[in-house]
Amino acid sequence: MNSFFVTTAISYVNGKPHLGHAYEAIACDVLARYKRLSGVNTFFLTGTDEHGEKNERSANKEGLSPQEFTKINSDHFEDMTNYLNISNDYFIRTSSESHHIASKALWNKLVENNEIYIDKYEGWYSIVDETFINEDEIIDGPNKTKLGPSGDKLEWLEEPSYFFKLSKWTNKLLEFYKENPDFIKPKSRRNEVINFVKQGLNDLSISRQRLKWGIKVPNDNKHVMYVWLDALTNYLTAINYPDISDKKFKCFWPADFHVIGKDIVRFHAVYWPAFLMSAGLEPPKTIFCHGFLNINGSKMSKSLGNVLSPKDLVEKYGLDQLRYFLLREVPFGQDGNFSHTQITQRINNDLANDYGNLSQRVLSFINKNCSSQIPEYFELNELDQKYINKFKSLNKSCDKLIFDNLEFHNVLIEIWSCISSANQYIDEQAPWKLKNNNNKRMETILYLLACSIKYLTIMLQPFMPSSCSLILDQLAVENNNRSFNELNNFLSLKPGTQLPKPTGIFPRFTD
Ligand code: ME8
C-alpha cells in the first residue's frame, strides 16, 4: 500500500490561534482526508513550536514559567484541531521528551559528519522572527534603532555559538533544486529560493548561550539549540526518529508535503534540506508555500486589532461553511482576503442555493413521491448518458488538480460545474410534470439525481466532512460505502432502499 505524509508548520505558542493557522490546518486536513478516502495509508502531523526567546520573555512578563505558559497556549492550538474537525494523527509539542531526544540525535549526527564547529557570533537578531538579519535586510528606525523586515526592533548579539557549515551546501542545494523541480511550489517561490541561494550561503549560527528555554546542546550544557533547528526536527520526531529502522519512519519519510506560509520558505527550502542531507537523510518531496490571509484588505495584526479568531468564525458562520469558504475563495499559494460580505455570498450562493438546494429538492421530492425509497431506474436515453458522462472523469481530474499544485479552488469549481449540470438537468427534465403520466421516467430522473448527489457528496467529504456525512445519511449510504472507490460505479444506489426524512443542511446566512 502506498503512503502519504503531510504536515502543517508547527505554530508558535505566543498567543492563541488566528485565521492563518486555521487556513493551513484546514488545507492539510483536506489533503489527508482525500488520501484516506483514496485508500492511501496517511499520516497527518500538526502541533506547536514552543522554545525560543519570544516565549521565554512572554512567560516572564505573565509571571509564569515557560512550561506553564507554553502548555496553556499549546492547549488552545490542540483545541483548534477539535473545533475545526482536523483529522491529524499526531499533535507534536516541541517541549516533549521524545522531541528533545530526536533533536539531540540529529545534532549528534551533524557533529559526527563534521558539519558543526564552534566560533563567535556577532550580528543583529530579530526576536520576533527568531532569526539573524543580514545587513542588506536591515531598516533604519527612529533614534538610531535597527529594524528587521517585519518592522521589529533588532538586538545586537555577540556570544560564542556553534555554527552549521551551510556555505558548503550552496552548490549541492542548487543541484538538488534542479533535479527535483517539485521540491518548492508554487514556481514563483522556487525561483525566489534559487535566486537567494545563488548569491551564496553563509554558515548558520545554530546555538544560543544566553537562552535557557530550549533544547540543550549535547555535551555542552551552556548552549541551547537555535529554535529553528529544533522546530524543523519535529517532522522527524513524529515518525520516531532517531529509530530510522522503525516501521513508521520507513513508511512515511520522506514527507510528501510540508505545507507552510510564504514567510518561512527559507527555513524549509534552504536550511531544512541542508540539515537533512548533512545527516544522511532524504529531504521532503515538496515544500508548498501558501499565501497570507488579509482581513478586509489589511494585514492581520495585534496592533491593528483585526486578528480573527477561528473559534468565533465557526460560531458565527458554521464550521463547514468556513472550511469551504477558505479553500474556495483564495487560490492556494496566493494572498487572499477574508470579509463578511464574501463569506456570506459563498454561503448563500454556492452552499444554500446550488448544493444545498439540489439535495434538498431531490430528496424532498423522493420523500413525497417515491414512498421515501431510492427509486428504480429504467431505460436511459442519450441525454441521460451525456449527463452521467460529465461525472466520469471528475475524480481523476480533481486528483491531479489537488496533488500537482494544491488547487483546492479549482477542484471546487470542477465539482460545482457538475452541481450546476445537476440543477440544470432537474430543471430541464422537470420530474414534477411526469408524476401523473410517466412514472417510470420520473423515477429514472430522480434515481440519476440521487446518484449524482451521492457522487458529489463523496467527493466533497474532505472539504466539509460533517455536512457531507449528514447528506450521505439522508441517502442511507452505509459508512463503509463512502470511500472514493464508490466513484467507479455511478449507478451505485440500491433501488428500494428506505430513506430517512430529509432536512436542509445548508441554511442561508442572514445577519
Ligand atoms: O512560523 N495567513 O509559526 P507561526 C496565512 N513556528 N498563514 C499564516 C498567516 C496569515 N495571515 N500568518 C501566519 C511559525 N501564517 C513557526 C513554524 S515549522 C518547523 C515552524 C502561517 O505560528 C505561517 O506562515 O508564526 C506558518 O506557516 C503557520 O501559519 C504558523 O505560523
Side-chain angles (χ1 to χ4, degrees):
M1 191 199 245
N2 52 10
S3 64
F4 183 73
F5 180 21
V6 59
T7 73
T8 65
I10 47 170
S11 314
Y12 283 128
V13 286
N14 215 252
K16 289 187 180 175
H18 56 60
L19 190 62
H21 294 119
Y23 181 53
E24 192 171 295
I26 291 169
C28 291
D29 187 51
V30 170
L31 295 179
R33 287 178 186 272
Y34 202 101
K35 281 290 180 186
R36 288 193 202 104
L37 286 165
S38 311
V40 176
N41 186 16
T42 298
F43 190 65
F44 169 19
L45 171 70
T46 187
T48 46
D49 179 3
E50 305 189 9
H51 295 126
E53 197 139 1
K54 211 170 13 175
N55 288 333
E56 196 174 55
R57 288 189 184 188
S58 301
N60 264 340
K61 247 193 226 159
E62 295 194 16
L64 297 169
S65 67
Q67 285 85 348
E68 288 165 333
F69 175 80
T70 52
K71 166 83 175 106
I72 291 169
N73 284 330
S74 176
D75 284 350
H76 289 304
F77 281 88
E78 198 159 6
D79 185 36
M80 179 181 82
T81 64
N82 297 323
Y83 64 74
L84 292 181
N85 201 359
I86 301 297
S87 63
N88 56 302
D89 297 285
Y90 192 65
F91 187 92
I92 192 162
R93 295 189 56 198
T94 56
S95 58
S96 63
E97 196 192 339
S98 57
H99 181 66
H100 279 234
I101 292 170
S103 304
K104 286 180 181 172
L106 184 68
W107 180 286
N108 284 334
K109 198 79 199 159
L110 298 182
V111 171
E112 197 183 304
N113 293 350
N114 195 24
E115 299 284 351
I116 290 180
Y117 62 95
I118 191 152
D119 203 339
K120 189 169 141 200
Y121 183 80
E122 290 177 338
W124 292 100
Y125 190 75
S126 158
I127 306 242
V128 170
D129 291 330
E130 298 283 11
T131 185
F132 290 106
I133 305 293
N134 294 334
E135 284 294 335
D136 58 351
E137 292 172 316
I138 296 172
I139 305 161
D140 286 323
N143 305 324
K144 294 199 175 158
T145 50
K146 301 279 185 191
L147 306 180
S150 355
D152 56 312
K153 205 165 135 199
L154 301 179
E155 299 196 10
W156 181 255
L157 210 71
E158 206 177 301
E159 60 176 29
S161 169
Y162 287 94
F163 282 80
F164 170 70
K165 296 180 184 171
L166 182 63
S167 56
K168 76 172 210 199
W169 286 94
T170 305
N171 288 331
K172 284 185 196 147
L173 280 170
L174 290 171
E175 261 167 49
F176 174 74
Y177 301 143
K178 199 167 164 197
E179 280 162 20
N180 297 278
D182 289 342
F183 179 63
I184 311 163
K185 286 184 172 179
K187 236 192 188 136
S188 54
R189 299 282 165 212
R190 174 182 152 81
N191 294 339
E192 234 173 73
V193 169
I194 292 176
N195 288 338
F196 170 75
V197 175
K198 269 188 182 158
Q199 292 166 26
L201 298 167
N202 296 325
D203 288 351
L204 183 71
S205 162
I206 51 165
S207 75
R208 300 283 170 275
Q209 218 178 34
R210 63 177 185 164
L211 177 67
K212 298 280 163 296
W213 178 235
I215 300 179
K216 296 251 180 291
V217 166
N219 304 317
D220 191 346
N221 272 344
K222 289 200 293 295
H223 291 254
V224 302
M225 290 179 201
Y226 173 41
V227 66
W228 268 101
L229 173 55
D230 139 21
L232 288 160
T233 310
N234 89 87
Y235 304 129
L236 298 178
T237 309
I239 48 169
N240 297 340
Y241 184 81
D243 186 358
I244 57 172
S245 61
D246 182 86
K247 219 169 95 198
K248 211 168 187 180
F249 190 88
K250 282 168 102 172
C251 179
F252 292 115
W253 196 258
D256 293 271
F257 281 98
H258 289 327
V259 177
I260 58 162
K262 61 178 186 178
D263 57 329
I264 54 174
V265 178
R266 196 177 293 177
F267 303 97
H268 281 82
V270 181
Y271 301 169
W272 186 222
F275 292 152
L276 287 165
M277 291 196 271
S278 302
L281 295 170
E282 263 184 84
K285 291 181 201 155
T286 298
I287 307 287
F288 197 100
C289 314
H290 60 77
F292 263 36
L293 288 181
N294 298 319
I295 312 295
N296 295 322
S298 314
K299 200 177 159 198
M300 232 188 319
S301 89
K302 276 190 193 161
S303 52
L304 288 175
N306 65 351
V307 177
L308 285 183
S309 138
K311 200 174 203 162
D312 294 347
L313 294 174
V314 168
E315 271 164 29
K316 181 163 182 181
Y317 299 106
L319 171 58
D320 284 342
Q321 284 80 351
L322 178 69
R323 290 176 61 114
Y324 172 78
F325 171 77
L326 290 176
L327 296 182
R328 172 61 187 83
E329 189 72 11
V330 184
F332 208 65
Q334 295 176 21
D335 286 348
N337 194 44
F338 183 96
S339 83
H340 172 72
T341 317
Q342 282 163 298
I343 189 170
T344 305
Q345 274 172 4
R346 289 273 172 217
I347 292 174
N348 291 343
N349 297 343
D350 304 7
L351 296 179
N353 285 359
D354 297 343
Y355 179 41
N357 196 29
L358 170 70
S359 77
Q360 180 64 11
R361 73 208 273 224
V362 170
L363 290 170
S364 302
F365 200 85
I366 292 177
N367 181 260
K368 281 199 200 105
N369 301 290
C370 309
S371 328
S372 277
Q373 289 180 356
I374 296 284
E376 289 280 347
Y377 70 100
F378 300 89
E379 213 177 317
L380 300 182
N381 63 29
E382 215 174 291
L383 233 146
D384 301 335
Q385 290 296 356
K386 214 169 142 200
Y387 171 69
I388 295 173
N389 281 343
K390 288 209 166 135
F391 291 78
K392 283 242 161 89
S393 57
L394 183 63
N395 186 221
K396 264 221 174 88
S397 62
C398 289
D399 238 54
K400 195 166 160 45
L401 285 170
I402 208 164
F403 291 106
D404 280 3
N405 273 310
L406 308 197
E407 294 178 57
F408 300 106
H409 70 297
N410 278 331
V411 168
L412 291 167
I413 287 172
E414 291 269 314
I415 296 177
W416 250 256
S417 133
C418 285
I419 290 177
S420 299
S421 301
N423 276 321
Q424 200 182 337
Y425 182 75
I426 189 170
D427 288 340
E428 283 169 5
Q429 300 294 319
W432 47 90
K433 287 190 190 154
L434 304 168
K435 237 175 5 187
N436 299 325
N437 56 19
N438 193 349
N439 214 51
K440 281 188 173 175
R441 181 66 195 151
M442 178 193 81
E443 286 210 28
T444 303
I445 294 162
L446 291 171
Y447 179 77
L448 291 188
L449 284 163
C451 289
S452 322
I453 298 170
K454 174 180 170 185
Y455 190 108
L456 295 164
T457 306
I458 285 180
M459 287 228 49
L460 284 169
Q461 289 176 102
F463 296 88
M464 300 184 285
S466 314
S467 311
C468 291
S469 165
L470 292 174
I471 295 178
L472 291 171
D473 287 347
Q474 297 194 12
L475 280 167
V477 177
E478 306 266 353
N479 276 333
N480 52 5
N481 290 338
R482 295 180 178 194
S483 76
F484 287 171
N485 231 348
E486 285 290 300
L487 305 176
N488 295 329
N489 176 16
F490 184 79
L491 305 175
S492 65
L493 286 170
K494 202 163 154 258
T497 308
Q498 194 65 39
L499 302 181
K501 196 172 163 40
T503 49
I505 304 293
F506 293 110
R508 289 183 68 77
F509 182 86
T510 43
D511 277 313

